[in-house]
Structures are given as structure tokens and as C-alpha cells.
Amino acid sequence: MKKAFLICSLFVCTNLFSQNYTPVDSTSKVHFVIKNSGINTGGDLSGLKGKIHFLPNNVSESHFAVSVSVSTIDTDNGMRDANLKSDEYFDAAKYPEISVGSTKIGKTNKTGEGYYYFTGNLTVKGITKEISFPFQAKAQGDGYEFTSNFQIDRTAFGIGEKNIVLSNVVNVTLSVSTRKD
């Protein structure tokens, strides 16, 4: 009986103090916008998966490791989607995921609760670059919603070539819902 109580207590304590979260793909959004011939063209990626260890009272111990599936690119234009999945752009057959992992999470100097700063490595098409951006974390249910906006240079990751028609700057908007593990 004591052994069963000890095991149950350990399970309850682990779940009460666990700060591990899993992204919920169906309620999350990874959106991008790029200027193409001077017109904003956007799309979404899904297949979000990974692990998030988030400690709002000790952010230096937090870490994120998430990815999306390149084959899910959706710009509401099938021909464009197929072109983006080709080896000229994302090469989905060879590089099926875009991943990001944190190296440092810190607080920002923005007033109010829930504002943090992400520093980590973004890997696209087999190329890894350091990125940094602010984000906000809001408690929701048994998890969090993490939101952010940031920019990347597509050419730094070998996504297409530089040209006068397609901007090098890609605006990325994240809205990642999580559930507690």
C-alpha cells in the first residue's frame, strides 16, 4: 500500500510541477508573407511538433525545440505550392522539416507580464542560422499560447536566388498553442 501511495504521489507531483508542453498543430499557426512583384503574398505551414520546456519564473531554464513540415506549405495556389516545395526553393523531398531550437530564453524590458526574448538556431534547407526575436506567452487552459513576429532573409537559407521580383525579406508570424504533457 505504501509503495502504491508513493508511486501515485510521485506521479501527481511530477504532473503538478511539470513545465513541459507540446505544440497543438490544429490550433496553432505558422504564417509567412513575402513581397512578390510588389504584392504581399502569404502562406501557412503546419505539421507543427516538438517539445517546449517553459518556466515563466525561471526563463533561463526554458528551452524550445519545434519543427514544421515543409510539405504542408499552403499559399492557396497549388502551382505556387509545388514550386515552393521544389529544390529551387525549400526542396521538401530532401529537407522535409524546418526546425528551430532555443539556445537562450530571456525576459524583455517591455512592461507587463509575459514578454520574453528568444535566441536560437533556425534550420531551413539544411542551413542553420542564429535568430533572435521577442515573443509573448499567455497562459491558456493547461498550456500557453506563444506569439511572435519576426523577419528572416530567405537567401541566407538558400531559398531561391536573389532577384528584383521576389523580396529577400520574409515576415513570419507565429501563434503556437500548447498543451501540458
Side-chain angles (χ1 to χ4, degrees), residues 52-100:
I52 296 171
H53 181 73
F54 184 64
L55 299 162
N57 295 322
N58 189 9
V59 292
S60 64
E61 295 297 318
S62 299
H63 52 87
F64 294 67
V66 295
S67 65
V68 291
S69 174
V70 174
S71 67
T72 66
I73 290 174
D74 182 5
T75 64
D76 289 331
N77 180 315
M79 288 176 55
R80 183 185 307 128
D81 296 346
N83 193 34
L84 288 172
K85 294 173 193 176
S86 75
D87 60 351
E88 180 183 0
Y89 289 94
F90 286 96
D91 199 354
K94 189 172 181 182
Y95 305 102
E97 291 185 337
I98 296 171
S99 63
V100 65

Side-chain angles (χ1 to χ4, degrees), residues 56-178:
N57 295 322
N58 189 9
V59 292
S60 64
E61 295 297 318
S62 299
H63 52 87
F64 294 67
V66 295
S67 65
V68 291
S69 174
V70 174
S71 67
T72 66
I73 290 174
D74 182 5
T75 64
D76 289 331
N77 180 315
M79 288 176 55
R80 183 185 307 128
D81 296 346
N83 193 34
L84 288 172
K85 294 173 193 176
S86 75
D87 60 351
E88 180 183 0
Y89 289 94
F90 286 96
D91 199 354
K94 189 172 181 182
Y95 305 102
E97 291 185 337
I98 296 171
S99 63
V100 65
S102 64
T103 55
K104 181 181 177 184
I105 304 295
K107 289 201 173 219
T108 66
N109 58 1
K110 190 169 184 171
T111 56
E113 287 189 41
Y115 294 97
Y116 304 94
Y117 205 77
F118 175 98
T119 301
N121 294 311
L122 174 64
T123 302
V124 182
K125 205 173 175 181
I127 299 170
T128 301
K129 301 280 184 184
E130 184 177 79
I131 62 168
S132 297
F133 55 85
F135 70 94
Q136 186 174 18
K138 290 182 183 177
Q140 85 175 13
D142 70 342
Y144 281 89
E145 180 179 23
F146 299 98
T147 56
S148 183
N149 296 294
F150 60 93
Q151 296 179 333
I152 61 169
D153 177 349
R154 68 176 177 83
T155 62
F157 294 95
I159 303 169
E161 296 180 0
K162 289 185 179 186
N163 64 59
I164 60 171
V165 174
L166 189 61
S167 175
N168 295 340
V169 177
V170 179
N171 295 296
V172 179
T173 302
L174 301 176
S175 177
V176 178
S177 298
T178 64

